[in-house]
Amino acid sequence: MTDAHVVGSGIIDFGEKYEWAFDDLLEGAYLDLVESVDHGIEPTKDIDAIWYGTLDIANEGSSGASVAHATGLFEKPATQIVNACATGSDAFRNAVQAVKAGDVEVALVIGAEKMLDSTEGLIGGAALERLWRGRGVTMPAFFGMRATRHMDQYETTREQIAEVSVKNHENGTKYPHAHQQFECSVDDVKESATVSYPLNLYDCCPVTDGACAVLVTNDERSREFTDAPVRVAGYGFSTDSFMRGDDLALTNFPASRQASSMAYERSGYGPDDIDVAEVHDCFSITELITYEDLGFCEQGEGGTFIDDGVPHLDGEKPVNPSGGLLSKGHPIGATGVAQIAEIFEQLRGEAGDVQVPDAEVGLQHNIGIGRNATGAVSCVNILER
Amino acid sequence: MSGPRYHRTREQDQRLVAFECQSCGYVSFPDEKQTCKRCGDAPATFEEVQLAERGEIKTFVVQEYLPDDIEVPQPLAIVDLPQADGSGESARVYGLLTETELDELSVGTEVEARFRELFDDGERPINSFKFSVPREVKR
């Protein structure tokens, strides 16, 4: 069986892109990819199949036909993946599996979301009917409940949680495609408006339009596109729910532990081998508990981990050098693909002002909340140069 | 639609009826199913059990930002409700709280289900429960 390799990436600047239609987002990321492949690409000839991630929040991009319309890549298999906020990562994982299986030689993975064309919004979508099944539970509430319990159980402080946002905003000012490019202090986070106690506005990622694409191929074709391919060393995907009764699911995400265990096992790497990580920080608390779920620190030690500066850009294990979702933004279908693109750049030494020195192994982690805020999905991919 | 979907679970809403997996002891609420969320038994055998009206807050938030037609602050908790006869495991449920003062709420606070009209769908009232801190427990 062949390995799968990432051999190109393309991204548009994330932000409020009112002038751009949904198709323009896809086309922009696709063109940036086509123009940046080291040795060039003849897309209609080279690309065998497309995996396309979008929740289609703007209701403009359903089915694989949408990506064909936006890019001109007709007469090929094009599959839409929808898997909550882990949509983009799961599109990537599916493409990797097809390449490894030998069924596809060159796959395009592309994700896009036009969040700001939604008339209802994600909070509005959580109507109060059938509350006990999660209706009425907004995303800040769902993640805020982990914060409340983590603070109670492990004496994690409000300041430690805020520090995640401070770190990621600082990184975001150095990352050219980030939506929110400003620095903030722990006090700024604590004094920003309460969205859902204990989380405030600066604990929450912004609402952002964006798109990103990566190119995946096999051993044989990889050098055709670049002299510096990035190998996909492992991947994992899992689902779990706090409703299954495990107390761990009240503070953390068992699905992330399962997905990362699978990825570690497939790759032969462990948490100590990871040089750089892009993880899901839809809220500050999400990143803090993810340090624990990925095994970067012990259970309950996420607060100390950030206090000690370990995940900072100049720390021992930099997490979210791109600014993460908190600064870069979270256009759902594009989010996971953009994390992959950042790890690809990091491992090739092309990450500019947020470059982690000598990064050889990178991890990408993306979770999603589904079934009316009762279940979680988690995807982890490990890449190496 | 042939009828409002929340009418399918009137029993659970109004009487706190739950279902205990006879393989692993998991207590399913409100779902009445033939497969078990915890052990995966399929088909699983479930027995109907009655939940107590008093339980314990496992964690909570106070939602301050919601659509305009919903009252804020809107406190929300995950609550463990034990079985009424004291046997077996608790059910883990989402619930709205009537308390809005933060100092009334913490992880471990005892709360009691109060049955009331939760909302109106335009044609009929929908009855379910909210949780309150019982008067004798209030600080």
Side-chain angles (χ1 to χ4, degrees):
Chain A
M1 193 165 67
T2 176
D3 275 325
H5 308 264
V6 183
V7 293
S9 71
I11 192 167
I12 59 167
D13 291 345
F14 285 10
E16 287 194 34
K17 308 199 78 75
Y18 175 73
E19 300 296 331
W20 296 48
F22 180 78
D23 275 12
D24 299 333
L25 302 178
L26 282 170
E27 188 183 51
Y30 170 67
L31 285 178
D32 189 52
L33 168 79
V34 168
E35 288 164 3
S36 65
V37 172
D38 292 344
H39 299 169
I41 181 171
E42 287 182 62
T44 53
K45 177 173 145 287
D46 288 329
I47 293 170
D48 299 318
I50 303 159
W51 275 267
Y52 159 54
T54 189
L55 289 195
D56 195 19
I57 279 179
N59 201 22
E60 277 192 287
S62 70
S63 91
S66 298
V67 72
H69 275 272
T71 60
L73 291 171
F74 284 94
E75 304 182 32
K76 297 171 192 300
T79 303
Q80 181 185 357
I81 300 281
V82 179
N83 220 337
C85 294
T87 288
S89 307
D90 201 22
F92 176 78
R93 189 184 65 98
N94 275 267
V96 166
Q97 288 181 315
V99 167
K100 284 174 75 75
D103 191 53
V104 168
E105 290 188 2
V106 180
L108 172 70
V109 180
I110 187 162
E113 210 73 61
K114 193 140 185 66
M115 305 290 290
L116 288 149
D117 270 8
S118 165
T119 50
E120 187 181 51
L122 290 177
I123 281 184
L128 271 183
E129 144 198 349
R130 302 205 309 174
L131 175 99
W132 33 252
R133 208 177 246 162
R135 301 291 296 197
V137 182
T138 60
M139 288 297 141
F142 182 86
F143 287 92
M145 283 193 270
R146 274 80 197 152
T148 301
R149 180 137 181 130
H150 207 278
M151 289 193 284
D152 183 81
Q153 195 165 336
Y154 300 112
E155 296 179 353
T156 302
T157 65
R158 183 67 186 84
E159 288 73 18
Q160 290 168 335
I161 295 170
E163 183 61 36
V164 173
S165 187
V166 173
K167 167 182 75 73
N168 290 354
H169 279 90
E170 189 183 333
N171 292 350
T173 61
K174 300 172 190 164
Y175 178 78
H177 309 298
H179 179 189
Q180 298 287 359
Q181 305 219 359
F182 63 88
E183 292 191 13
C184 59
S185 66
V186 166
D187 283 344
D188 290 336
V189 178
K190 285 170 65 184
E191 286 161 18
S192 60
T194 303
V195 174
S196 195
Y197 168 89
L199 299 181
N200 296 353
L201 185 63
Y202 288 178
D203 290 294
C204 308
C205 68
V207 181
T208 303
D209 299 332
C212 187
V214 297
L215 194 67
V216 180
T217 190
N218 58 21
D219 291 335
E220 199 184 319
R221 302 281 304 272
S222 62
R223 302 275 164 178
E224 195 180 304
F225 299 104
T226 177
D227 294 332
V230 166
R231 188 175 84 94
V232 183
Y235 53 82
F237 195 102
S238 196
T239 78
D240 214 313
S241 168
F242 77 90
M243 287 213 157
R244 300 177 72 211
D246 183 355
D247 281 352
L248 182 67
L250 294 172
T251 50
N252 291 70
F253 288 103
S256 287
R257 291 172 187 236
Q258 295 150 20
S260 59
S261 292
M262 291 173 198
Y264 288 139
E265 192 178 323
R266 274 204 177 86
S267 68
Y269 291 120
D272 292 345
D273 299 315
I274 305 302
D275 298 316
V276 58
E278 284 279 309
V279 311
H280 196 88
D281 59 329
C282 52
F283 299 92
S284 50
I285 181 65
T286 322
E287 180 173 317
L288 189 144
I289 62 184
T290 297
Y291 303 146
E292 301 166 4
D293 289 337
L294 297 176
F296 291 176
C297 65
E298 297 296 316
Q299 178 59 26
E301 299 286 320
T304 314
F305 187 76
I306 187 148
D307 255 355
D308 292 346
V310 188
H312 288 70
L313 196 51
D314 60 357
E316 280 168 52
K317 197 181 288 294
V319 176
N320 284 327
S322 70
L325 285 50
L326 282 166
S327 169
K328 183 169 49 178
H330 182 19
I332 296 173
T335 295
V337 187
Q339 292 175 314
I340 295 284
E342 174 60 12
I343 295 294
F344 173 69
E345 290 193 349
Q346 286 283 349
L347 300 182
R348 281 161 48 106
E350 295 173 339
D353 292 343
V354 294
Q355 180 66 49
V356 173
D358 304 318
E360 290 183 6
V361 182
L363 180 148
Q364 176 259 346
H365 159 269
N366 192 193
I367 59 174
I369 306 310
R371 202 187 171 273
N372 296 340
T374 61
V377 298
S378 184
C379 190
V380 172
N381 292 291
I382 296 175
L383 280 65
E384 69 171 340
R385 80 172 177 210
Chain B
M1 230 190 313
S2 55
R5 57 187 177 174
Y6 31 77
H7 273 230
R8 293 177 195 137
T9 47
R10 259 179 303 180
E11 283 276 287
Q12 290 93 313
D13 266 350
Q14 295 172 13
R15 296 203 299 114
L16 292 177
V17 170
F19 309 93
E20 183 180 60
C21 174
Q22 299 304 295
S23 286
C24 73
Y26 173 68
V27 180
S28 176
F29 178 89
D31 297 337
E32 183 178 10
K33 296 168 52 48
Q34 297 180 66
T35 53
C36 177
K37 271 191 185 53
R38 183 194 288 154
C39 69
D41 211 11
T45 308
F46 282 96
E47 282 197 3
E48 194 173 303
V49 293
Q50 178 64 46
L51 299 178
E53 293 181 10
R54 280 202 185 189
E56 180 192 312
I57 291 180
K58 305 305 284 186
T59 188
F60 71 97
V61 291
V62 184
Q63 302 190 90
E64 297 280 358
Y65 186 82
L66 286 168
D68 292 344
D69 54 341
I70 298 172
E71 197 182 328
V72 289
Q74 183 75 254
L76 167 75
I78 294 173
V79 174
D80 272 5
L81 282 180
Q83 296 184 30
D85 63 7
S87 70
E89 296 185 26
S90 301
R92 185 157 283 175
V93 307
Y94 268 134
L96 291 176
L97 297 165
T98 56
E99 265 70 19
T100 58
E101 293 300 320
L102 270 177
D103 56 11
E104 301 271 16
L105 303 171
S106 62
V107 172
T109 299
E110 190 180 335
V111 289
E112 189 171 56
R114 300 265 169 84
F115 295 85
R116 55 177 64 198
E117 181 183 325
L118 267 202
F119 65 99
D120 190 307
D121 74 353
E123 289 176 34
R124 52 185 86 66
I126 307 305
N127 299 307
S128 189
F129 52 87
K130 276 190 171 186
F131 291 100
S132 294
V133 179
R135 204 158 292 152
E136 72 274 15
V137 177
K138 282 205 181 212
R139 278 169 278 185

